[in-house]
Amino acid sequence: FHLFRALFFFKMCPICKEPKNQTGGSEFFLLGLSDDPEVQPLLFGLFLSMYLVTMLGNLLMILAVMSDSHLHTPMYFFLSNLSLADISFSTITVPKMLVNLQTHSKSITYAGCLTQVTFIFLFGCLESLLLAVLAYDRLVAICQPLHYLVIMSPRLCGLLVLLSYFFSLLDSQLHYLMVSQLSFCADVEIPHFFCDPSQLFNLACSDTSINDILIYFIGAIFGGVPLSGILFSYYRIVSSILRIPSAGSKYKAFSTCGSHLSVVCLFYGTGLGVYLSSAVSSSPRRDAVASVMYAVVTPMLNPFIYSLRNRDIKRALWRM
């Protein structure tokens, strides 16, 4: 019976050249953003520059928070963890693409692909949860300013960050288990610059109907719950600010959460844009280009958004 099922499955699989079921020797090929040899040096220079700016900006943010005692507050503690998530998210995808562009090789091992999937969801979910935690921090700062330091105690801040890491790890392990159960064939070509799980589900030879249901369910929990928390926090913030009689006080209150709101719009806006473009467009390569926004551009811009209008960060960076 098992032999018959294996033979039937192999016959029905349209792209299988030889069956390979999650073995460490399986090799995938990342097709990247372009096949044009003249464009690839330009892509290498562009993405190397963006990666170095991402590393520099986020490392400076972390060092500024660590070195300046005036920045040892809950908000900057969360921001330093957000910068760490941005560094890690970029490091999972960009260096491999740079190596492939430089060596003119598109290969990535099965283990390397699984590693990318695991850490992409780990740090992507972590960023989403940290943005929700920052929204709660702004809610307490604006709605209950006199009790801010009592509510946002070091113990609560540490617990919130620890829970963010725990749930992110849980999310990444669930996606790892789903992808590791898929059966792939020889010469799997992924039209992306990293191992995008949605592309892996499309290229799998095994039935992915249950995985599709699970990935939407998990996405609704780990993506929808933080977003709902952010929306609820800003509903409370806006309601509280509108009750302030002074226009100057209203502007000052709005300015304290302007940077966070910009990062939230950038993070969720680019993610939603990529999702909608993939639903409308039938070109996987175009989807890969759109993914550059949330995978590379967003981690690069975050430290600049938080520091450009922040006098405390500017002062700490100047002292460094």
Side-chain angles (χ1 to χ4, degrees):
F1 171 74
H2 289 292
L3 178 62
F4 171 76
R5 187 172 64 174
L7 289 172
F8 175 76
F9 164 75
F10 179 66
K11 187 176 181 180
M12 293 297 291
C13 179
I15 60 172
C16 283
K17 296 181 181 178
E18 60 179 276
K20 283 191 177 182
N21 186 15
Q22 62 256 28
T23 59
S26 301
E27 193 167 37
F28 300 162
F29 295 92
L30 299 173
L31 300 185
L33 300 175
S34 174
D35 293 323
D36 190 348
E38 295 181 358
V39 175
Q40 290 188 0
L42 297 175
L43 289 175
F44 179 83
L46 175 65
F47 281 93
L48 177 61
S49 303
M50 293 171 74
Y51 179 66
L52 291 176
V53 171
T54 301
M55 293 291 289
L56 180 63
N58 284 287
L59 280 173
L60 283 176
M61 176 71 77
I62 294 171
L63 290 172
V65 172
M66 291 176 62
S67 62
D68 196 324
S69 59
H70 296 93
L71 300 182
H72 293 175
T73 62
M75 185 183 77
Y76 293 111
F77 172 64
F78 299 138
L79 281 179
S80 61
N81 280 277
L82 185 68
S83 292
L84 180 62
D86 284 332
I87 289 173
S88 304
F89 192 86
S90 293
T91 303
I92 295 304
T93 56
V94 178
K96 178 59 181 173
M97 179 178 63
L98 293 175
V99 169
N100 286 358
L101 286 170
Q102 187 68 16
T103 60
H104 304 289
S105 170
K106 298 180 179 181
S107 66
I108 182 171
T109 62
Y110 176 76
C113 201
L114 273 181
T115 302
Q116 277 198 343
V117 169
T118 302
F119 285 104
I120 283 169
F121 279 100
L122 172 64
F123 296 113
C125 182
L126 178 61
E127 183 152 356
S128 176
L129 291 169
L130 287 174
L131 288 175
V133 169
L134 277 163
Y136 175 70
D137 174 77
R138 294 298 84 203
L139 171 66
V140 176
I142 292 173
C143 297
Q144 298 184 8
L146 298 178
H147 300 93
Y148 175 72
L149 292 177
V150 177
I151 296 172
M152 301 303 293
S153 62
R155 184 177 179 179
L156 179 62
C157 294
L159 180 63
L160 288 172
V161 170
L162 193 63
L163 286 174
S164 298
Y165 277 96
F166 172 75
F167 285 115
S168 301
L169 183 62
L170 179 62
D171 180 40
S172 68
Q173 290 306 302
L174 289 173
H175 282 90
Y176 168 81
L177 288 173
M178 282 192 290
V179 174
S180 64
Q181 296 303 311
L182 299 175
S183 297
F184 294 100
C185 309
D187 299 332
V188 178
E189 295 183 342
I190 304 170
H192 219 294
F193 63 92
F194 62 86
C195 287
D196 184 19
S198 62
Q199 297 293 338
L200 293 176
F201 287 137
N202 292 334
L203 295 169
C205 290
S206 54
D207 181 26
T208 61
S209 55
I210 296 176
N211 286 331
D212 291 336
I213 296 170
L214 284 173
I215 201 165
Y216 281 114
F217 180 72
I218 294 169
I221 294 175
F222 290 100
V225 171
L227 181 58
S228 301
I230 292 170
L231 293 175
F232 176 75
S233 296
Y234 274 101
Y235 167 74
R236 293 280 308 276
I237 288 170
V238 171
S239 300
S240 178
I241 290 174
L242 291 177
R243 290 197 294 266
I244 300 175
S246 170
S249 299
K250 284 182 180 179
Y251 174 77
K252 187 177 180 180
F254 271 121
S255 65
T256 59
C257 52
S259 298
H260 175 259
L261 194 57
S262 301
V263 171
V264 168
C265 292
L266 185 64
F267 179 77
Y268 283 101
T270 53
L272 184 62
V274 170
Y275 174 76
L276 292 176
S277 68
S278 63
V280 174
S281 172
S282 58
S283 171
R285 188 61 67 84
R286 198 172 297 169
D287 298 341
V289 174
S291 299
V292 172
M293 283 301 297
Y294 74 84
V296 183
V297 176
T298 300
M300 179 183 69
L301 293 179
N302 282 351
F304 295 100
I305 292 172
Y306 273 110
S307 61
L308 284 177
R309 295 180 61 189
N310 192 312
R311 293 179 181 177
D312 294 332
I313 292 288
K314 286 181 180 178
R315 207 174 292 123
L317 291 173
W318 180 253
R319 277 197 288 267
M320 284 176 61

